[in-house]
Amino acid sequence: AQKVTQAQTEISVVEKEDVTLDCVYETRDTTYYLFWYKQPPSGELVFLIRRNSFDEQNEISGRYSWNFQKSTSSFNFTITASQVVDSAVYFCALSELQTNAGKSTFGDGTTLTVKP
Amino acid sequence: DTAVSQTPKYLVTQMGNDKSIKCEQNLGHDTMYWYKQDSKKFLKIMFSYNNKELIINETVPNRFSPKSPDKAHLNLHINSLELGDSAVYFCASSQGHFFLSSYNSPLHFGNGTRLTVT
């Protein structure tokens, strides 16, 4: 079974629409970290956010917000009022200490296209 | 200053050749990684080094040999290149001693090396 599932392979929205990228993870560890990374068309990978398993507070950073729910093993990412510059591949990643020796397992990514 | 830099950015070579990709980080991180991103954008870890010591070798063919001369450098040498090796290779680093704290540290990636084997 995949440890990190990003069920949406591709999403296309029109500018100013809100969009949510789903991430569902699987782990038996009690302590783990979740991450989101962005890969714009230029190709670099950029860290966006980190969340540990004990902190279920939602986080907002400008137009970006993250909803972490342990009950559903989800760590979803919402972009409000999307812009063309948000077009990128977004990766969710899980880092487990006990089970996986600390390495990050990435989901397959969601390609977001924001049209003007 | 670039935090994680890797060279070259593009590498085009023929099957059977040997090539190297270099990576350097100036963040003072203890742990460095090589990731491979295939044509479908899937990211998979290949190797991880902590303070010059190999920590993870993710069932990568032994044609791939990482070398870490010091904790700021992690190079990747590939022997007898095959068509299936064509991909983007990313170097990354993270803070802290691997088993104690680096699992909770975000990865800082280089800009990638696009390897094309013809």
Side-chain angles (χ1 to χ4, degrees):
Chain A
Q2 193 142 355
K3 281 184 172 288
V4 180
T5 302
Q6 295 181 252
Q8 305 143 309
T9 307
E10 294 182 9
I11 301 176
S12 181
V13 299
V14 176
E15 221 174 5
K16 296 183 184 173
E17 282 185 21
D18 299 347
V19 58
T20 296
L21 310 182
D22 297 334
C23 174
V24 174
Y25 62 92
E26 180 184 328
T27 180
R28 286 178 295 183
D29 281 21
T30 54
T31 305
Y32 53 90
Y33 276 78
L34 294 160
F35 303 83
W36 276 95
Y37 293 86
K38 174 182 180 179
Q39 187 175 37
S42 50
E44 71 272 23
L45 278 154
V46 179
F47 162 72
L48 293 178
I49 191 171
R50 170 185 63 186
R51 177 61 83 229
N52 76 51
S53 51
F54 297 108
D55 183 3
E56 286 193 72
Q57 267 196 340
N58 291 332
E59 180 149 344
I60 298 174
S61 175
R63 295 182 298 104
Y64 294 174
S65 62
W66 291 269
N67 183 299
F68 174 34
Q69 292 196 341
K70 284 179 76 170
S71 59
T72 54
S73 297
S74 65
F75 186 41
N76 297 337
F77 173 27
T78 298
I79 302 175
T80 304
S82 60
Q83 299 177 1
V84 173
V85 293
D86 296 326
S87 296
V89 182
Y90 291 87
F91 293 95
C92 180
L94 166 70
S95 184
E96 308 159 280
L97 181 60
Q98 291 99 350
T99 305
N100 226 5
K103 67 184 179 188
S104 286
T105 303
F106 283 78
D108 290 342
T110 296
T111 299
L112 173 65
T113 303
V114 181
K115 299 178 181 176
Chain B
D1 277 346
T2 305
V4 181
S5 59
Q6 52 183 112
T7 55
K9 188 173 173 61
Y10 299 99
L11 191 49
V12 181
T13 188
Q14 291 184 324
M15 281 176 58
N17 285 349
D18 303 340
K19 290 293 178 186
S20 291
I21 307 172
K22 295 186 175 182
C23 179
E24 175 182 4
Q25 54 96 3
N26 62 6
L27 296 166
H29 289 168
D30 288 324
T31 309
M32 296 185 72
Y33 312 78
W34 279 108
Y35 278 82
K36 179 180 179 181
Q37 186 174 42
D38 64 21
S39 58
K40 293 183 179 179
K41 298 283 190 179
F42 298 155
L43 266 170
K44 292 286 186 284
I45 190 169
M46 300 173 68
F47 299 104
S48 171
Y49 269 73
N50 179 260
N51 246 326
K52 304 190 297 178
E53 187 179 334
L54 179 67
I55 302 296
I56 290 175
N57 180 340
E58 196 68 10
T59 57
V60 176
N62 57 15
R63 297 183 295 103
F64 290 79
S65 52
K67 282 191 172 51
S68 182
D70 55 62
K71 75 172 193 175
H73 295 84
L74 180 62
N75 303 323
L76 183 65
H77 187 76
I78 316 170
N79 290 328
S80 304
L81 277 155
E82 300 178 357
L83 292 176
D85 297 332
S86 295
V88 180
Y89 293 84
F90 284 97
C91 176
S93 70
S94 67
Q95 196 171 24
H97 183 277
F98 190 77
F99 286 108
L100 293 180
S101 63
S102 71
Y103 86 105
N104 63 0
S105 301
L107 296 167
H108 296 258
F109 286 91
N111 287 337
T113 295
R114 183 174 294 277
L115 172 64
T116 304
V117 182
T118 61

